Amino acid sequence: MKIYDDKHIKNIALLGAPKSGKTLLAEDMLFEAGIIHRRGTIEGKNTISDYHEIEHERGNSVFATPLHTEWKDYKINIIDTPGFDDFAGEMIASLRVADTCVVVINAYQGVEVSTELIWNYAERFNKPVLFAINQMDHPKADFESTLASLKNHFGAKVVQMQYPLNQGPDFNEIIDLLKMVLYRFPAEGGKPEKLPIPVSEKEKAERLHNELVEKAAENDEKLMEKYFEQGTLDEDEMRLGLKEGMIHHDVFPVFVMSAKKNMGTGRMMGFIDNVAPTPRESKPEYTIEGKEIPCDPNGPTVLFVFKSHLEPNLGKLTFFKVISGEVTSNSELINSQTGAIERIHQLFIMDGKNRTTVDKLVAGDIGATLKLKETYTNQTLHAKGFDVTVNPIEFPEPRVRVAVIAKSKNDNEKIGEVLGKIHQEDPTLEVEYSKELKQLILSAQGELHLTVCRWFLENTYKLNVDFITPRISYRETIRKPASASYRHKKQSGGAGQFGEVYLKIEPYTEGMPEPDEFPIRGKEVIDLEWGGKLVFYNCIVGGVIDARFIPSILKGVMEKMEEGPITGSYVRDVRVMVHDGKMHPVDSNDISFKIAGMMAFKDAFMRAEPQLLEPIYDLEVRVPEEIMGDVMGDLQTRRSLIMGIDTNGNYQVIKARTPLAELDKYSNSLRSLSQGRASFSQKFVDYVPVPFDLQQRLAKDLAEVEAV
Ligand SMILES: Nc1nc2c(ncn2[C@@H]2O[C@H](COP(=O)(O)OP(=O)(O)O)[C@@H](O)[C@H]2O)c(=O)[nH]1
Ligand SMILES: [Mg+2]
């Protein structure tokens, strides 16, 4: 296969709401370019992009799939992404390495909630955007209202490149406003006839063409001058202006097509060839320290791994973009994060499951390799002596959590291990054994993401699991001061045990004055692993407790802090003053004082108005106007505090603060309330007091567990 240099490579990501037709469009692009000779269909489960068994089972994309076409003199690398929010990780990684985002819009739905989410990411990465209005052949296709919804959401930078002359099942004609021709497609699609614009359309086409010329001129002073001098621009000048506009995120060209009928894709590919920025023209990459890495084929080799996964029957497949230099099939590179030396044995261009071996890939290109030992998603490989780390992708925080339980006890350990591996490939999925909850906690982007993860556990790794609602990590604290004492005494044959402790406890707050009730002999401030503090004072006078027993008392207190008196949860934000006690010359020892300390602490704690705290999250829910009421109502049943409502285009953004205990299956409820048209994100904020009745119920639950 031909090696393309950085001037002849275009990297695009196909993004868009589920079912807009991204996968079929990718198929159509490959077909148009002659990479494949037969077009697969979604229903026939035989597209190049959706080749995984799980994608066939579900009937939609789950993974981002890199593909390629060669169109005219260019290689277009295409990454087909899944549209569901649950697979945001795949989408973001693709967006990150693409130089142009092709946002596919369904011609009968217009802009959808997921389109907006994708848009936000494209904005964040400041990537050039091109809109592809697909499904023009659909009976309900409505070009004008779809275009209006684009302009409404994304403003005046949305620039019409084409318009259809007909739509719905008869769709076969497009007027092109750059070339000023009419394309008429044969019934089977493919190469259109080029015809003059009919008289009846002349006026409209001229008007839109002039708008386009103006848009193209706006982005370059020289072009602007020319435009004023000549009153117009030629095709090449327009291309130049549009390219500048795309790079600066000032022009979002709109194309129309039908992937199903193979009409219009070729023209869009031509535009990508001629106008969309090359990797070198795009914004450069940066190192983690913020230093620019130029896209230079003669520079030192730097690869950025944007995706890796275990491919059945093949092994680990690693996808990368060549950020700088070139990579050959025997390059030896270093992983900047782990220091591991990785040898590239084979280099591939991937089209779904089809591999084409190549000898070399240069800066700007996208490729894959097999069997890297220790390199995973979001890591950098670089040439020896050029130690850089490409600024990694910031993946979104997980939004759902479950506890994973092996159906067979023997599998418990293996499940943690396998999930750890899955996390290295998909960083939006996190796994952690919680010592506190005594559960293996899996966090993911949504229920669908979990379903896919379970599918892998069961099918790829042959591990059967249950996902259950995880316990909640409560915290315990106190609301007022209290004192208590405890005498531990045991005299049953042999050496006895004796220790007596008097202590006072108080709620601790940052910056509070030192206690003045007792003389302070010693002080220890402990930053608790689980958040909050314990401040422990030795206030013993006259040596009533020997200094060597003070650490034992602290140990006793800590033990109770780890298993709080109300529900067995961690205790936080308490200060303890040990101010009196008694020793026995023979029987006193560490264990006696530890027990006395623990029991005195527990007793004091229960008198100090103990308060259970629960984790609370900030929630941001984006909903279409019409279902605001339902979503608000649902949030209110979840003990949420509504913090504010903002309007953003057609959507409302509800900001709420909700206890974690009420967020179980929230993504499911939201999906069914909104038919998938709403989305949310969540972020841990703090621990807050649990309402009294709930605290009582939880304390009772614990008492019952302990009684068993
Ligand atoms: N009528 C029509 N249907 C299309 C077109 N493109 C895709 N579809 C159908 O829309 C559904 C979703 O397509 P798919 O490519 O999986 O969408 P994706 O989720 O965006 O990847 C499938 O049933 C396709 O056959 C099109 O141009 N016209
Ligand atoms: Mg798809």
Side-chain angles (χ1 to χ4, degrees):
M1 153 152 192
K2 193 173 152 188
I3 305 284
Y4 287 85
D5 65 22
D6 61 297
K7 293 184 196 69
H8 293 90
I9 293 170
K10 306 282 167 144
N11 297 311
I12 66 166
L14 296 180
L15 305 150
K19 305 277 172 215
S20 48
K22 300 175 291 296
T23 298
L24 207 61
L25 183 58
E27 189 79 4
D28 197 35
M29 289 171 82
L30 264 60
F31 177 75
E32 265 295 279
I35 303 281
I36 54 174
H37 302 291
R38 219 183 120 244
R39 291 194 298 156
T41 62
I42 306 298
E43 292 68 24
K45 304 185 196 305
N46 57 351
T47 59
I48 297 290
S49 174
D50 283 357
Y51 66 95
H52 285 99
E53 201 179 322
I54 183 160
E55 297 180 310
H56 292 165
E57 259 178 40
R58 302 194 53 87
N60 60 255
S61 313
V62 168
F63 303 103
T65 310
L67 311 154
H68 92 287
T69 68
E70 292 167 77
W71 186 244
K72 313 281 193 264
D73 293 327
Y74 291 84
K75 176 175 169 200
I76 306 179
N77 289 314
I78 304 167
I79 311 178
D80 175 28
T81 68
F84 292 99
D85 208 13
D86 282 54
F87 309 123
E90 295 281 321
M91 193 186 84
I92 294 168
S94 313
L95 222 159
R96 178 60 170 25
V97 294
D99 299 309
T100 298
C101 303
V102 174
V103 180
V104 183
I105 307 283
N106 185 322
Y108 60 92
Q109 293 280 17
V111 173
E112 300 175 61
V113 172
S114 17
T115 322
E116 286 228 39
L117 280 175
I118 289 155
W119 180 262
N120 291 340
Y121 287 117
E123 289 259 272
R124 195 203 294 171
F125 292 113
N126 214 351
K127 295 275 178 178
V129 170
L130 179 159
F131 288 108
I133 300 183
N134 184 38
Q135 309 221 20
M136 281 309 305
D137 65 293
H138 193 280
K140 290 193 194 142
D142 184 343
F143 173 75
E144 287 302 334
S145 72
T146 301
L147 182 70
S149 87
L150 282 175
K151 290 197 163 163
N152 182 18
H153 279 84
F154 309 123
K157 296 175 180 179
V158 172
V159 179
Q160 200 174 340
M161 300 295 303
Q162 304 179 321
Y163 68 90
L165 266 196
N166 46 12
Q167 56 190 4
D170 296 330
F171 169 69
N172 71 340
E173 288 179 336
I174 298 173
I175 295 228
D176 196 284
L177 300 167
L178 179 66
K179 292 189 174 283
M180 285 305 268
V181 288
L182 165 66
Y183 290 123
R184 180 177 295 149
F185 292 89
E188 71 284 3
K191 204 171 160 50
E193 260 182 280
K194 272 192 214 169
L195 302 167
I197 293 177
V199 180
S200 57
E201 291 298 321
K202 267 242 148 66
E203 199 191 312
K204 180 176 176 188
E206 289 288 348
R207 179 171 51 80
L208 292 171
H209 175 77
N210 289 339
E211 278 179 22
L212 186 59
V213 175
E214 228 165 278
K215 269 281 167 217
E218 260 173 27
N219 298 290
D220 188 303
E221 259 177 51
K222 274 201 201 111
L223 289 180
M224 204 61 179
E225 274 172 31
K226 257 211 167 131
Y227 173 56
F228 281 132
E229 273 166 28
Q230 304 169 356
T232 189
L233 296 177
D234 66 26
E235 230 179 279
D236 282 339
E237 290 164 342
M238 283 175 76
R239 287 200 184 104
L240 206 71
L242 290 171
K243 181 192 285 255
E244 283 302 307
M246 282 182 78
I247 293 174
H248 295 111
H249 213 62
D250 278 332
V251 168
F252 314 136
V254 182
F255 286 82
V256 294
M257 64 206 63
S258 160
K260 191 169 191 172
K261 294 180 79 173
N262 184 19
M263 295 178 184
T265 26
R267 172 70 189 112
M268 183 177 73
M269 283 199 280
F271 183 83
I272 291 170
D273 276 2
N274 295 327
V275 180
T278 62
R280 199 202 271 248
E281 291 163 338
S282 283
K283 299 239 157 44
E285 285 288 345
Y286 290 92
T287 66
I288 208 160
E289 297 88 13
K291 248 180 72 192
E292 188 179 323
I293 318 175
C295 176
D296 177 3
N298 301 313
T301 308
V302 181
L303 310 185
F304 177 65
V305 173
F306 66 95
K307 181 180 161 74
S308 65
H309 71 156
L310 194 66
E311 189 72 24
N313 310 323
L314 203 62
K316 206 174 88 186
L317 193 57
T318 306
F319 291 90
F320 55 82
K321 181 172 185 183
V322 186
I323 304 296
S324 159
E326 58 177 46
V327 58
T328 56
S329 50
N330 54 13
S331 301
E332 215 172 59
L333 299 169
I334 296 170
N335 180 315
S336 75
Q337 275 94 336
T338 64
I341 298 177
E342 297 274 18
R343 177 175 278 277
I344 309 285
H345 292 282
Q346 287 164 293
L347 273 182
F348 304 111
I349 287 169
M350 301 294 296
D351 289 301
K353 63 175 181 297
N354 305 334
R355 275 166 300 163
T356 312
T357 305
V358 288
D359 297 330
K360 188 167 98 170
L361 293 167
V362 303
D365 214 343
I366 285 173
T369 184
L370 273 172
K371 301 201 170 52
L372 291 188
K373 293 186 306 273
E374 289 177 57
T375 300
Y376 301 98
T377 306
N378 225 358
Q379 297 187 333
T380 300
L381 292 171
H382 60 75
K384 260 185 216 145
F386 188 67
D387 191 358
V388 292
T389 301
V390 177
N391 198 16
I393 302 165
E394 241 179 79
F395 286 104
E397 300 264 327
R399 290 172 299 175
V400 294
R401 301 157 69 243
V402 287
V404 185
I405 297 178
K407 285 201 173 141
S408 146
K409 269 216 163 84
N410 299 339
D411 286 344
N412 264 330
E413 206 167 297
K414 198 161 168 219
I415 285 179
E417 232 173 76
V418 166
L419 287 173
K421 272 194 215 160
I422 296 181
H423 162 73
Q424 288 175 319
E425 288 158 4
D426 175 1
T428 60
L429 211 140
E430 289 173 15
V431 61
E432 182 196 28
Y433 180 78
S434 163
K435 230 174 66 191
E436 177 187 3
L437 306 177
K438 298 179 184 65
Q439 288 178 316
L440 185 66
I441 304 295
L442 176 64
S443 316
Q445 294 298 317
E447 308 295 332
L448 214 58
H449 197 199
L450 285 173
T451 307
V452 169
C453 180
R454 180 208 291 266
W455 190 95
F456 274 104
L457 289 174
E458 288 174 356
N459 292 277
T460 310
Y461 298 96
K462 310 286 175 232
L463 292 167
N464 288 315
V465 293
D466 281 322
F467 287 170
I468 63 165
T469 304
R471 300 184 186 115
I472 301 285
S473 17
Y474 292 102
R475 297 285 181 263
E476 298 182 13
T477 192
I478 51 171
R479 286 201 292 204
K480 62 166 214 194
S483 296
S485 66
Y486 191 85
R487 172 184 292 190
H488 175 71
K489 187 172 169 188
K490 220 166 152 189
Q491 272 154 337
S492 51
Q497 291 185 357
F498 184 90
E500 186 170 355
V501 170
Y502 283 72
L503 50 74
K504 180 175 183 189
I505 64 173
E506 283 175 359
Y508 170 79
T509 49
E510 209 62 55
M512 70 195 289
E514 294 288 2
D516 54 8
E517 232 172 298
F518 310 106
I520 301 169
R521 292 292 148 86
K523 173 183 175 185
E524 225 176 299
V525 181
I526 300 170
D527 275 313
L528 300 162
E529 257 173 62
W530 50 87
K533 279 195 173 128
L534 163 67
V535 184
F536 184 83
Y537 293 95
N538 172 4
C539 305
I540 293 296
V541 263
V544 290
I545 299 176
D546 205 297
R548 71 195 155 103
F549 293 129
I550 299 296
S552 316
I553 299 171
L554 173 58
K555 218 187 250 169
V557 169
M558 271 305 280
E559 241 171 60
K560 203 65 230 162
M561 303 247 329
E562 277 182 37
E563 213 158 289
I566 333 175
T567 59
S569 312
Y570 289 131
V571 174
R572 58 179 284 171
D573 299 327
V574 178
R575 73 176 180 189
V576 179
M577 283 82 74
V578 178
H579 60 85
D580 204 356
K582 225 178 238 155
M583 282 189 302
H584 183 274
V586 182
D587 293 348
S588 279
N589 57 6
D590 286 334
I591 184 84
S592 312
F593 276 101
K594 191 178 116 179
I595 293 171
M598 177 157 81
M599 297 307 283
F601 177 77
K602 178 180 170 185
D603 201 9
F605 192 93
M606 292 312 279
R607 295 158 191 234
E609 277 187 24
Q611 172 68 58
L612 197 61
L613 305 174
E614 63 180 336
I616 190 155
Y617 278 69
D618 264 346
L619 220 60
E620 236 186 65
V621 194
R622 300 164 62 84
V623 290
E625 179 95 56
E626 318 84 80
I627 53 160
M628 265 282 283
D630 293 348
V631 172
M632 292 277 276
D634 178 62
L635 280 172
Q636 263 139 13
T637 66
R638 295 173 186 272
R639 294 195 281 129
S640 303
L641 201 63
I642 306 295
M643 313 291 285
I645 298 165
D646 292 335
T647 303
N648 184 352
N650 285 355
Y651 299 101
Q652 306 286 328
V653 182
I654 308 173
K655 292 191 172 139
R657 207 156 254 199
T658 310
L660 179 64
E662 303 291 338
L663 281 173
D664 188 32
K665 307 241 161 40
Y666 184 62
S667 81
N668 268 1
S669 318
L670 189 65
R671 179 164 298 137
S672 61
L673 275 178
S674 69
Q675 279 93 41
R677 291 167 56 230
S679 74
F680 79 107
S681 62
Q682 66 180 48
K683 202 169 168 84
F684 170 74
V685 194
D686 203 358
Y687 278 95
V688 298
V690 163
F692 184 68
D693 54 331
L694 182 60
Q695 173 163 337
Q696 276 191 319
R697 206 168 69 227
L698 291 164
K700 198 167 142 256
D701 287 353
L702 179 80
E704 279 166 12
V705 172
E706 285 188 337
V708 174

